[in-house]
Amino acid sequence: MPSRSAAGVRTGVRVVVAGDRGTGKSSLISAAASDAFPEYVPAVLPPTRLPSDFYPDGVPVTIVDTSSSMESRIKLIDGLKRADAVVLTYACDQPMTLSRLSSFWLPELRKLEIKAPVIVVGCKLDLRDERQPMNLEQVMAPIMQQFREIETCIECSSATLIQVPDVFYYAQKAVLHPTAPLFDQEKQTLKPRCIRALKRIFMLCDHDMDGALSDAELNEFQVKCFNAPLQPAEIVGVKRVVQERIRGGVSDLGLTLEGFLFLHALFIEKGRLETTWAVLRKFGYNDELKLRDDILPVPTKHAPDQTVELTNEAIDFLRGIFRLYDSDNDGSLQPSEFDDIFVTAPESPWTVDPYVDAAERTPQGNLTINGFLSEWALMTTLDPSYCLANLICIGYGGDPTSALRVTRRRSVDRKKKQTEKNVFHCFVFGPKKSGKSALLNSFIGRTFSSNYTPTNDVRYVANAVEQIGGSQKTLILQEIPEDGVKKLLSNKECLAACDVAVFLYDSSDEYSWKRSRELLLDVARRGEESGYGVPCLLIAAKDDLDPFPMSLQNSARVTQQLGMEAPIPVGVKLRDSKSVFSRIVSAAEHPHLSIPETEKGKKRKRYRRLVNSSLMFVSVGAAVAVVGLAAYRAYAARKNT
């Protein structure tokens, strides 16, 4: 049974109890469930469920007992890997079982890569030798320092029921209100992603944008998160606590961002993580401090050959954001200005692949407006949900459903012989050293480099392309490494997302031409078999070098046979590649043209036409026969009359 609802809300907590034999695992579980010390307990209990009203959070807890015997090891490992939280037990009257936690159990959990929080529980407190008192905090401090996954430590007695319910309350709390996403135990500070989320919440609550939460804004925040207003004396008390502990936490206008962050750090320090989590969840965050999927209304694609684009409303918002953060008005964003935009997002989204180095920048490394919008177009194409989450995090205030739109199917575009798309996705195929990377670099303004560095992974670049008449489209180029073509084409729907495919070959190398032709035929066949045929262009790269003999003749013959345009000569080194991108966009704008047809495809088309003609002939013949029969019956009836 899943432990989360469709909205990502916890519907149950699974706690696995482990530890050495004889430490009181089964007795602990039985005492917690029955509120009584059991006279007889089996070696291993079946899963035990504590109902939703057992603890204040209203989430049921399922407790799984385990055996520490070698025969049950596989079952133990499986149970631990499925756990939301792990309770590790030791016996208070057996010191050796406590030392076994750090010598075996905790290292074993790490070895198994168990990410669940750990609650260390000392059972049989009533049996401890009073002549050997133990300071739990003092003993556990070095262990907790070494094993940060330990959330808390507690001692209990199943016989006297001392702190038995608390054990599973802390286990549930560690799952529902985890410390790890919020707080860095080593540095004793809020984690960066937590700070970013709280900054966004502060800015959303600071309605007058004066950099402080007034008493009225604090009250509104309190009502939204906890359904109860703060009394005037409580507001005064909160401000006094902040003023005493942090300079600048309160200004004449109210509680500052520094004060707001300090309060949450204080809640966590005092063990009141549920307070901070209540705030975060009220504003839509999940356990990873990202916006939950249920508040991201991404439009649904009903067919593989549909894509998602930003609407004009979203693009206008992004243009405004660019102008707002371009503080020096130089038409580009410096790294510091760029980072400021995403200060309220979980992280800056374009610092990792596939977005890093995917757009146009100035020689100083600043992001131009074209580069900025192209990055957003790329993110929308590859991950619409991630794009919408970032739009909301940076302040998109419109209806989230108005930010994205689903394009019309490419198959419909082909029939209508036109497209309404503003973003085109182009696959770039070609053998090694054919110039694919150089073409992509040229597209985003990178200087040509003669050093050859093979591309082993899929790479993307995106930029705006001006068309004749002043219209502007965004083109995404996706470089497909030669070694990855076979894997790509093994997916029947691989070409569904592609608007146009280009095939590069080194015009000075005969092998490069032959290999490019093979790739073209492979893609054409896949398009015919899947029904997702795409316009294709051949590009004769390195046109500044001497071509191999018969180069032009061979390539012209192949394109003519396949019903494609003649190859486009490009010399990236000579920086004459700009027009080729307009040609690529033009091919994408005419989705019914330049789709290669193999001999097999032509035969299949002729066969379909023949079948359709035969069916039409049969239909016409049947219709004539029916009409004739009806006429004869009418004549016979008239004659009888």
Side-chain angles (χ1 to χ4, degrees):
M1 184 176 176
S3 61
R4 291 181 185 274
S5 68
V9 179
R10 285 271 178 187
T11 56
V13 172
R14 186 180 181 87
V15 180
V16 173
V17 182
D20 284 347
R21 179 179 299 177
T23 53
K25 300 188 292 294
S26 301
S27 295
L28 171 64
I29 297 169
S30 183
S34 63
D35 198 27
F37 181 63
E39 293 183 10
Y40 168 75
V41 181
V44 179
L45 288 170
T48 303
R49 188 175 187 270
L50 304 182
S52 57
D53 59 356
F54 203 89
Y55 294 120
D57 281 298
V59 178
V61 176
T62 299
I63 309 171
V64 180
D65 196 5
T66 63
S67 170
S68 55
S69 68
M70 289 303 295
E71 297 80 17
S72 305
R73 180 168 171 74
I74 294 176
K75 194 172 182 180
L76 170 65
I77 292 173
D78 179 63
L80 289 171
K81 290 193 172 183
R82 295 171 56 201
D84 296 319
V86 176
V87 167
L88 280 185
T89 61
Y90 67 92
C92 293
D93 62 335
Q94 302 172 43
M96 180 60 71
T97 59
L98 175 58
S99 62
R100 281 265 297 167
L101 295 183
S102 53
S103 65
F104 174 75
W105 284 103
L106 289 163
E108 182 72 2
L109 292 182
R110 285 190 176 178
K111 182 180 174 183
L112 295 173
E113 298 182 349
I114 306 300
K115 303 299 182 185
V118 176
I119 311 298
V120 170
V121 179
C123 299
K124 305 184 181 183
L125 180 60
D126 56 300
L127 299 180
R128 174 179 285 154
D129 188 346
E130 295 180 359
R131 293 170 298 178
Q132 295 180 336
M134 186 184 82
N135 185 319
L136 180 63
E137 185 176 342
Q138 191 175 0
V139 171
M140 288 302 302
I143 299 176
M144 293 183 72
Q145 187 74 22
Q146 183 182 358
F147 297 96
R148 295 290 184 179
E149 54 268 39
I150 299 175
E151 283 283 329
T152 191
C153 303
I154 184 173
E155 291 185 329
C156 66
S157 168
S158 300
T160 61
L161 301 180
I162 294 175
Q163 297 198 122
V164 168
D166 296 354
V167 170
F168 299 104
Y169 168 73
Y170 285 124
Q172 184 200 60
K173 183 180 177 182
V175 177
L176 299 181
H177 315 299
T179 305
L182 307 184
F183 201 71
D184 189 319
Q185 298 278 20
E186 291 187 12
K187 297 179 181 178
Q188 289 294 294
T189 57
L190 294 173
K191 285 191 172 179
R193 188 174 281 189
C194 178
I195 292 173
R196 287 167 171 263
L198 291 174
K199 277 185 179 180
R200 171 176 171 263
I201 292 169
F202 180 89
M203 292 171 71
L204 289 173
C205 297
D206 182 16
H207 300 302
D208 54 12
M209 296 188 293
D210 62 356
L213 298 183
S214 64
D215 291 358
E217 289 169 337
L218 265 177
N219 246 328
E220 188 175 336
F221 164 79
Q222 182 76 10
V223 170
K224 178 180 175 70
C225 296
F226 305 103
N227 300 316
L230 287 168
Q231 297 302 315
E234 292 176 308
I235 294 177
V236 171
V238 167
K239 289 181 179 178
R240 184 184 302 117
V241 169
V242 174
Q243 278 179 318
E244 289 173 354
R245 298 283 295 273
I246 180 170
R247 187 177 179 181
V250 177
S251 71
D252 294 338
L253 300 172
L255 184 71
T256 65
L257 174 61
E258 290 79 8
F260 186 72
L261 294 175
F262 165 76
L263 272 180
H264 284 282
L266 187 62
F267 292 146
I268 295 169
E269 183 184 322
K270 292 184 176 295
R272 291 174 53 192
L273 289 97
E274 62 273 14
T275 303
T276 299
W277 275 116
V279 171
L280 291 165
R281 285 173 178 140
K282 185 58 94 172
F283 283 85
Y285 287 94
N286 61 17
D287 287 357
E288 289 76 41
L289 296 186
K290 295 181 179 180
L291 293 182
R292 296 192 310 269
D293 290 341
D294 63 299
I295 65 170
L296 300 175
V298 177
T300 304
K301 294 192 296 181
H302 297 289
D305 58 348
Q306 289 181 298
T307 55
V308 178
E309 292 184 2
L310 291 166
T311 61
N312 289 333
E313 186 176 338
I315 292 173
D316 289 342
F317 165 76
L318 290 172
R319 289 184 182 277
I321 286 289
F322 185 92
R323 290 192 296 269
L324 178 66
Y325 283 87
D326 180 17
S327 54
D328 51 7
N329 296 314
D330 65 348
S332 64
L333 293 177
Q334 298 175 19
S336 59
E337 295 169 331
F338 173 75
D339 289 340
D340 286 345
I341 293 177
F342 293 102
V343 75
T344 51
E347 59 268 319
S348 187
W350 303 332
T351 55
V352 294
D353 288 331
Y355 307 108
V356 65
D357 202 31
E360 178 184 73
R361 292 179 182 267
T362 67
Q364 293 76 34
N366 299 340
L367 199 63
T368 64
I369 181 64
N370 278 344
F372 182 70
L373 295 177
S374 296
E375 287 275 26
W376 280 101
L378 176 61
M379 184 160 57
T380 309
T381 298
L382 299 182
D383 195 342
S385 179
Y386 188 45
C387 171
L388 184 57
N390 277 287
L391 275 173
I392 293 172
C393 283
I394 68 171
Y396 184 74
D399 183 350
T401 60
S402 68
L404 305 177
R405 72 178 187 95
V406 176
T407 63
R408 191 168 65 189
R409 293 192 62 178
R410 281 203 307 107
S411 57
V412 176
D413 286 347
R414 281 204 306 272
K415 290 176 183 176
K416 292 183 177 290
K417 300 182 179 181
Q418 61 180 358
T419 182
E420 300 170 342
K421 297 180 72 171
N422 295 311
V423 180
F424 297 117
H425 192 166
C426 170
F427 286 5
V428 181
F429 295 94
K432 293 180 177 68
K433 299 185 178 181
S434 60
K436 299 189 296 297
S437 296
L439 183 73
L440 268 67
N441 288 336
S442 167
F443 186 43
I444 55 173
R446 300 288 189 273
T447 56
F448 176 79
S449 172
S450 57
N451 295 328
Y452 173 68
T453 304
T455 303
N456 298 318
D457 297 316
V458 172
R459 179 191 170 200
Y460 296 87
V461 297
N463 209 345
V465 178
E466 292 280 352
Q467 292 296 88
I468 297 173
S471 67
Q472 191 177 74
K473 303 291 183 181
T474 300
L475 178 62
I476 296 170
L477 299 182
Q478 178 181 346
E479 181 180 352
I480 312 292
E482 183 183 3
D483 297 337
V485 174
K486 186 175 181 180
K487 181 180 178 182
L488 173 74
L489 296 182
S490 65
N491 178 2
K492 185 179 179 181
E493 296 176 349
C494 63
L495 298 177
C498 178
D499 294 296
V500 60
V502 302
F503 298 83
L504 264 74
Y505 65 94
D506 179 350
S507 58
S508 67
D509 184 337
E510 185 174 5
Y511 168 79
S512 183
W513 151 246
K514 289 181 178 178
R515 181 67 184 124
S516 185
R517 181 186 62 192
E518 290 172 0
L519 294 172
L520 169 59
L521 291 173
D522 288 343
V523 170
R525 291 189 196 100
R526 172 48 77 195
E528 290 171 343
E529 292 165 1
S530 64
Y532 297 119
V534 297
C536 294
L537 297 175
L538 262 177
I539 295 180
K542 306 184 184 181
D543 187 54
D544 45 307
L545 303 179
D546 294 331
F548 72 88
M550 304 294 289
S551 167
L552 292 174
Q553 188 175 342
N554 287 348
S555 57
R557 175 172 51 80
V558 168
T559 51
Q560 188 175 11
Q561 288 173 346
L562 295 173
M564 295 166 51
E565 292 183 31
I568 305 168
V570 172
V572 176
K573 191 185 294 187
L574 301 179
R575 305 186 64 80
D576 60 352
S577 60
K578 255 189 176 179
S579 63
V580 75
F581 304 120
S582 293
R583 295 277 294 274
I584 293 171
V585 169
S586 180
E589 287 180 319
H590 300 87
H592 60 298
L593 301 176
S594 299
I595 300 177
E597 283 188 298
T598 64
E599 284 302 316
K600 189 175 180 180
K602 291 175 183 176
K603 288 178 182 177
R604 191 183 290 118
K605 184 180 286 187
R606 285 196 295 268
Y607 175 75
R608 286 202 200 100
R609 285 175 181 166
L610 181 62
V611 170
N612 290 338
S613 299
S614 301
L615 290 173
M616 187 176 292
F617 177 78
V618 171
S619 299
V620 171
V624 170
V626 170
V627 171
L629 181 61
Y632 172 76
R633 285 178 175 171
Y635 168 73
R638 194 180 299 114
K639 184 177 180 181
N640 291 338
T641 304

Coordinates of all heavy atoms in Angstrom, one line a residue, residues 253-308:
L253 N 9.6 48.8 10.7 CA 8.4 48.3 9.8 C 7.9 47.0 10.2 O 6.8 46.6 9.8 CB 8.9 48.3 8.3 CG 9.4 49.6 7.8 CD1 9.9 49.4 6.4 CD2 8.2 50.6 7.7
G254 N 8.7 46.2 11.0 CA 8.2 44.9 11.4 C 9.3 43.9 11.4 O 10.5 44.2 11.5
L255 N 9.0 42.6 11.3 CA 9.9 41.5 11.3 C 10.6 41.4 10.0 O 10.0 41.2 8.9 CB 9.2 40.2 11.6 CG 10.0 38.9 11.8 CD1 10.8 38.9 13.1 CD2 9.1 37.7 11.7
T256 N 11.9 41.5 10.0 CA 12.7 41.4 8.7 C 12.9 40.0 8.3 O 12.6 39.0 9.0 CB 14.1 42.1 8.9 OG1 14.8 41.3 9.9 CG2 13.9 43.5 9.4
L257 N 13.5 39.8 7.1 CA 13.8 38.5 6.6 C 14.8 37.8 7.5 O 14.6 36.6 7.8 CB 14.4 38.6 5.2 CG 14.9 37.2 4.6 CD1 13.8 36.2 4.5 CD2 15.5 37.5 3.2
E258 N 15.8 38.5 8.0 CA 16.7 37.9 9.0 C 16.0 37.4 10.2 O 16.3 36.3 10.7 CB 17.8 38.9 9.3 CG 18.8 39.3 8.2 CD 18.2 40.3 7.2 OE1 17.1 40.8 7.5 OE2 18.8 40.5 6.2
G259 N 15.1 38.2 10.7 CA 14.3 37.7 11.9 C 13.4 36.6 11.6 O 13.3 35.6 12.4
F260 N 12.8 36.5 10.4 CA 12.0 35.4 10.0 C 12.8 34.1 9.9 O 12.3 33.1 10.4 CB 11.3 35.8 8.7 CG 10.3 34.8 8.2 CD1 9.1 34.7 8.8 CD2 10.6 34.0 7.1 CE1 8.1 33.9 8.3 CE2 9.6 33.1 6.6 CZ 8.4 33.0 7.2
L261 N 13.9 34.2 9.3 CA 14.8 33.0 9.2 C 15.3 32.6 10.6 O 15.3 31.4 10.9 CB 16.0 33.3 8.3 CG 15.7 33.5 6.8 CD1 16.9 33.9 6.1 CD2 15.0 32.3 6.2
F262 N 15.6 33.5 11.4 CA 16.1 33.2 12.8 C 15.0 32.4 13.6 O 15.3 31.5 14.3 CB 16.5 34.4 13.6 CG 16.6 34.2 15.0 CD1 17.8 33.6 15.5 CD2 15.6 34.6 15.9 CE1 17.9 33.3 16.9 CE2 15.7 34.4 17.3 CZ 16.9 33.8 17.8
L263 N 13.7 32.9 13.5 CA 12.7 32.3 14.2 C 12.5 30.8 13.8 O 12.4 29.9 14.7 CB 11.3 33.0 13.9 CG 11.0 34.2 14.8 CD1 9.6 34.7 14.3 CD2 10.9 33.7 16.2
H264 N 12.7 30.5 12.5 CA 12.5 29.1 12.1 C 13.7 28.3 12.6 O 13.6 27.1 12.9 CB 12.4 29.0 10.6 CG 11.0 29.4 10.2 ND1 9.9 28.5 10.3 CD2 10.5 30.6 9.7 CE1 8.8 29.1 9.9 NE2 9.1 30.4 9.5
A265 N 14.9 28.9 12.5 CA 16.1 28.2 13.1 C 15.9 27.9 14.6 O 16.3 26.8 15.1 CB 17.4 29.0 12.9
L266 N 15.2 28.8 15.3 CA 15.0 28.6 16.7 C 14.0 27.5 16.9 O 14.1 26.7 17.8 CB 14.5 29.9 17.3 CG 14.3 30.0 18.8 CD1 15.6 29.8 19.5 CD2 13.7 31.3 19.2
F267 N 12.9 27.5 16.1 CA 11.9 26.4 16.2 C 12.6 25.0 16.1 O 12.4 24.1 16.8 CB 10.9 26.5 15.1 CG 10.0 27.7 15.3 CD1 9.5 28.4 14.2 CD2 9.6 28.2 16.5 CE1 8.6 29.4 14.3 CE2 8.8 29.3 16.7 CZ 8.3 29.9 15.5
I268 N 13.5 24.9 15.1 CA 14.2 23.6 14.8 C 15.1 23.3 16.0 O 15.2 22.1 16.4 CB 14.9 23.7 13.5 CG1 13.9 23.9 12.3 CG2 15.8 22.5 13.3 CD1 14.6 24.2 11.0
E269 N 15.8 24.3 16.5 CA 16.8 24.1 17.6 C 16.0 23.6 18.8 O 16.6 22.7 19.5 CB 17.4 25.4 17.9 CG 18.5 25.3 19.0 CD 19.1 26.7 19.3 OE1 19.3 27.5 18.4 OE2 19.3 27.0 20.5
K270 N 14.8 24.0 19.0 CA 14.0 23.6 20.2 C 13.2 22.3 19.9 O 12.4 21.9 20.7 CB 13.1 24.7 20.6 CG 13.8 25.9 21.2 CD 12.9 26.9 21.7 CE 13.7 28.1 22.4 NZ 14.4 27.7 23.6
G271 N 13.4 21.7 18.7 CA 12.7 20.5 18.4 C 11.3 20.6 17.8 O 10.6 19.7 17.7
R272 N 11.0 21.9 17.5 CA 9.6 22.1 17.0 C 9.6 22.2 15.4 O 9.2 23.2 14.8 CB 9.1 23.4 17.6 CG 8.8 23.4 19.1 CD 8.4 24.7 19.6 NE 7.3 25.3 18.9 CZ 6.9 26.6 19.0 NH1 7.6 27.4 19.8 NH2 5.9 27.1 18.3
L273 N 10.1 21.1 14.9 CA 10.2 21.1 13.4 C 8.8 21.1 12.7 O 8.7 21.6 11.6 CB 10.9 19.8 12.9 CG 12.4 19.8 13.2 CD1 12.7 19.0 14.5 CD2 13.2 19.2 12.1
E274 N 7.8 20.6 13.5 CA 6.5 20.6 12.9 C 6.0 22.0 12.5 O 5.2 22.2 11.6 CB 5.5 19.9 13.8 CG 5.3 20.5 15.2 CD 6.3 20.0 16.2 OE1 7.3 19.4 15.8 OE2 6.0 20.3 17.4
T275 N 6.5 23.0 13.3 CA 6.0 24.4 13.0 C 6.6 24.8 11.6 O 5.8 25.3 10.8 CB 6.6 25.3 14.1 OG1 6.1 24.8 15.4 CG2 6.1 26.7 13.9
T276 N 7.8 24.6 11.4 CA 8.4 25.0 10.1 C 7.8 24.2 9.0 O 7.5 24.7 7.9 CB 9.9 24.9 10.2 OG1 10.5 25.7 11.2 CG2 10.6 25.3 8.8
W277 N 7.7 22.9 9.2 CA 7.1 22.1 8.1 C 5.6 22.5 7.8 O 5.2 22.4 6.7 CB 7.2 20.6 8.5 CG 8.5 20.0 8.2 CD1 9.4 19.4 9.0 CD2 9.0 19.8 6.9 NE1 10.5 19.0 8.3 CE2 10.3 19.1 7.0 CE3 8.5 20.1 5.6 CZ2 11.1 18.8 5.9 CZ3 9.3 19.8 4.5 CH2 10.6 19.1 4.7
A278 N 4.9 22.9 8.8 CA 3.5 23.3 8.6 C 3.5 24.5 7.7 O 2.7 24.6 6.7 CB 2.8 23.6 9.9
V279 N 4.4 25.4 7.9 CA 4.5 26.6 7.0 C 4.9 26.2 5.6 O 4.3 26.6 4.6 CB 5.6 27.6 7.6 CG1 5.9 28.7 6.6 CG2 5.1 28.1 8.9
L280 N 6.0 25.4 5.5 CA 6.4 25.0 4.2 C 5.4 24.2 3.4 O 5.2 24.5 2.2 CB 7.7 24.1 4.3 CG 8.9 24.8 4.8 CD1 10.0 23.8 5.3 CD2 9.5 25.7 3.7
R281 N 4.7 23.3 4.0 CA 3.6 22.6 3.3 C 2.4 23.4 3.0 O 1.8 23.2 1.9 CB 3.2 21.4 4.2 CG 4.3 20.3 4.1 CD 4.1 19.1 5.1 NE 5.2 18.2 4.9 CZ 5.7 17.5 5.9 NH1 5.4 17.7 7.2 NH2 6.7 16.6 5.7
K282 N 2.1 24.4 3.8 CA 1.0 25.3 3.5 C 1.3 26.1 2.2 O 0.4 26.4 1.4 CB 0.7 26.2 4.6 CG -0.5 27.1 4.4 CD -1.7 26.3 4.2 CE -2.5 26.0 5.5 NZ -3.8 25.4 5.2
F283 N 2.6 26.3 1.9 CA 3.0 27.0 0.7 C 3.4 26.1 -0.4 O 4.0 26.5 -1.4 CB 4.1 28.1 1.0 CG 3.6 29.3 1.7 CD1 3.4 29.3 3.1 CD2 3.2 30.4 1.0 CE1 2.9 30.5 3.7 CE2 2.7 31.6 1.6 CZ 2.6 31.6 3.0
G284 N 3.0 24.8 -0.3 CA 3.2 23.9 -1.4 C 4.4 23.1 -1.5 O 4.7 22.5 -2.6
Y285 N 5.3 23.0 -0.5 CA 6.5 22.3 -0.6 C 6.4 20.9 -0.2 O 5.6 20.5 0.7 CB 7.6 23.0 0.2 CG 8.1 24.3 -0.4 CD1 7.5 25.5 0.0 CD2 9.1 24.3 -1.3 CE1 7.9 26.7 -0.5 CE2 9.5 25.5 -1.9 CZ 8.9 26.7 -1.5 OH 9.3 27.9 -2.0
N286 N 7.2 20.0 -0.8 CA 7.2 18.6 -0.4 C 8.4 18.3 0.5 O 9.1 19.3 0.9 CB 7.3 17.7 -1.7 CG 8.5 17.9 -2.6 OD1 9.5 18.5 -2.1 ND2 8.4 17.4 -3.8
D287 N 8.7 17.1 0.7 CA 9.8 16.7 1.7 C 11.2 17.1 1.1 O 12.2 17.2 1.9 CB 9.8 15.2 2.0 CG 8.6 14.9 2.9 OD1 7.9 15.8 3.4 OD2 8.5 13.7 3.2
E288 N 11.3 17.3 -0.2 CA 12.6 17.7 -0.8 C 12.7 19.2 -1.0 O 13.6 19.7 -1.6 CB 12.8 17.0 -2.2 CG 13.0 15.5 -2.1 CD 11.8 14.7 -1.8 OE1 10.7 15.1 -2.4 OE2 11.9 13.8 -1.0
L289 N 11.7 19.9 -0.4 CA 11.6 21.4 -0.5 C 11.5 21.8 -1.9 O 12.1 22.9 -2.3 CB 12.8 22.0 0.2 CG 12.8 21.8 1.8 CD1 13.9 22.6 2.4 CD2 11.5 22.1 2.4
K290 N 10.8 21.1 -2.7 CA 10.4 21.5 -4.1 C 8.9 21.6 -4.1 O 8.2 21.0 -3.3 CB 10.8 20.5 -5.1 CG 12.3 20.3 -5.2 CD 12.7 19.3 -6.3 CE 14.2 19.2 -6.4 NZ 14.6 18.2 -7.5
L291 N 8.3 22.4 -5.0 CA 6.9 22.5 -5.1 C 6.3 21.2 -5.5 O 6.8 20.5 -6.3 CB 6.5 23.6 -6.1 CG 6.9 25.1 -5.7 CD1 6.4 26.0 -6.8 CD2 6.3 25.5 -4.4
R292 N 5.2 20.8 -4.8 CA 4.5 19.6 -5.0 C 3.9 19.5 -6.4 O 3.4 20.6 -7.0 CB 3.4 19.3 -4.0 CG 3.9 19.2 -2.6 CD 2.8 18.6 -1.7 NE 1.6 19.4 -1.9 CZ 1.2 20.4 -1.1 NH1 2.0 20.9 -0.2 NH2 0.1 21.1 -1.3
D293 N 3.8 18.4 -7.0 CA 3.2 18.2 -8.3 C 1.8 18.6 -8.4 O 1.3 19.1 -9.4 CB 3.4 16.7 -8.8 CG 4.8 16.3 -9.0 OD1 5.6 17.2 -9.2 OD2 5.1 15.1 -9.1
D294 N 1.0 18.4 -7.3 CA -0.4 18.7 -7.3 C -0.7 20.2 -7.4 O -1.8 20.6 -7.7 CB -1.1 18.2 -6.1 CG -0.6 18.8 -4.8 OD1 0.6 18.7 -4.5 OD2 -1.4 19.4 -4.1
I295 N 0.3 21.1 -7.2 CA 0.1 22.5 -7.4 C 0.7 23.0 -8.7 O 0.9 24.2 -8.9 CB 0.5 23.3 -6.2 CG1 2.1 23.2 -6.0 CG2 -0.2 22.9 -4.9 CD1 2.6 24.2 -5.0
L296 N 1.2 22.1 -9.5 CA 1.8 22.4 -10.8 C 0.9 21.9 -11.9 O 1.0 20.8 -12.4 CB 3.2 21.8 -10.9 CG 4.2 22.3 -9.9 CD1 5.5 21.5 -10.1 CD2 4.5 23.7 -9.9
P297 N -0.1 22.7 -12.4 CA -1.0 22.3 -13.4 C -0.4 22.2 -14.8 O -0.7 23.1 -15.7 CB -2.2 23.3 -13.3 CG -1.5 24.6 -12.9 CD -0.3 24.1 -12.0
V298 N 0.5 21.3 -15.0 CA 1.1 21.2 -16.3 C 0.1 20.6 -17.3 O -0.5 19.5 -17.0 CB 2.3 20.2 -16.3 CG1 3.0 20.1 -17.6 CG2 3.4 20.8 -15.3
P299 N -0.1 21.2 -18.5 CA -1.1 20.7 -19.4 C -0.7 19.3 -19.9 O 0.5 19.0 -20.1 CB -1.1 21.7 -20.6 CG 0.2 22.4 -20.4 CD 0.5 22.4 -19.0
T300 N -1.7 18.5 -20.2 CA -1.4 17.1 -20.6 C -1.2 16.9 -22.1 O -2.1 17.4 -22.9 CB -2.6 16.2 -20.1 OG1 -2.7 16.4 -18.7 CG2 -2.3 14.7 -20.4
K301 N -0.2 16.3 -22.5 CA 0.0 15.9 -23.9 C -0.8 14.6 -24.2 O -0.6 13.6 -23.4 CB 1.5 15.7 -24.2 CG 2.3 16.9 -24.1 CD 3.7 16.7 -24.7 CE 4.5 15.6 -24.0 NZ 5.8 15.4 -24.5
H302 N -1.6 14.6 -25.2 CA -2.4 13.5 -25.5 C -1.8 12.6 -26.6 O -2.3 11.5 -26.9 CB -3.8 13.9 -25.9 CG -4.6 14.6 -24.9 ND1 -5.1 14.0 -23.7 CD2 -4.9 16.0 -24.7 CE1 -5.7 14.9 -23.0 NE2 -5.6 16.1 -23.5
A303 N -0.7 13.0 -27.1 CA 0.0 12.2 -28.2 C 1.5 12.5 -28.1 O 1.9 13.6 -27.7 CB -0.6 12.6 -29.6
P304 N 2.3 11.5 -28.5 CA 3.8 11.7 -28.4 C 4.3 12.8 -29.2 O 5.3 13.4 -28.9 CB 4.3 10.4 -28.8 CG 3.2 9.4 -28.6 CD 1.9 10.2 -28.9
D305 N 3.6 13.2 -30.3 CA 4.1 14.2 -31.2 C 3.5 15.6 -30.9 O 3.5 16.5 -31.7 CB 3.8 13.9 -32.7 CG 2.4 13.7 -33.0 OD1 1.6 13.6 -32.1 OD2 2.0 13.6 -34.2
Q306 N 3.1 15.8 -29.6 CA 2.8 17.1 -29.1 C 3.9 17.5 -28.2 O 4.6 16.7 -27.6 CB 1.4 17.1 -28.4 CG 0.2 16.9 -29.2 CD -1.1 16.9 -28.4 OE1 -1.2 16.0 -27.6 NE2 -1.9 17.8 -28.7
T307 N 4.1 18.8 -28.1 CA 5.1 19.4 -27.2 C 4.4 20.5 -26.3 O 3.3 20.9 -26.6 CB 6.3 20.0 -27.9 OG1 5.8 20.9 -28.9 CG2 7.0 18.9 -28.7
V308 N 5.2 21.0 -25.4 CA 4.7 22.1 -24.5 C 5.6 23.3 -24.7 O 6.8 23.2 -24.8 CB 4.7 21.6 -23.0 CG1 4.3 22.8 -22.1 CG2 3.9 20.4 -22.8

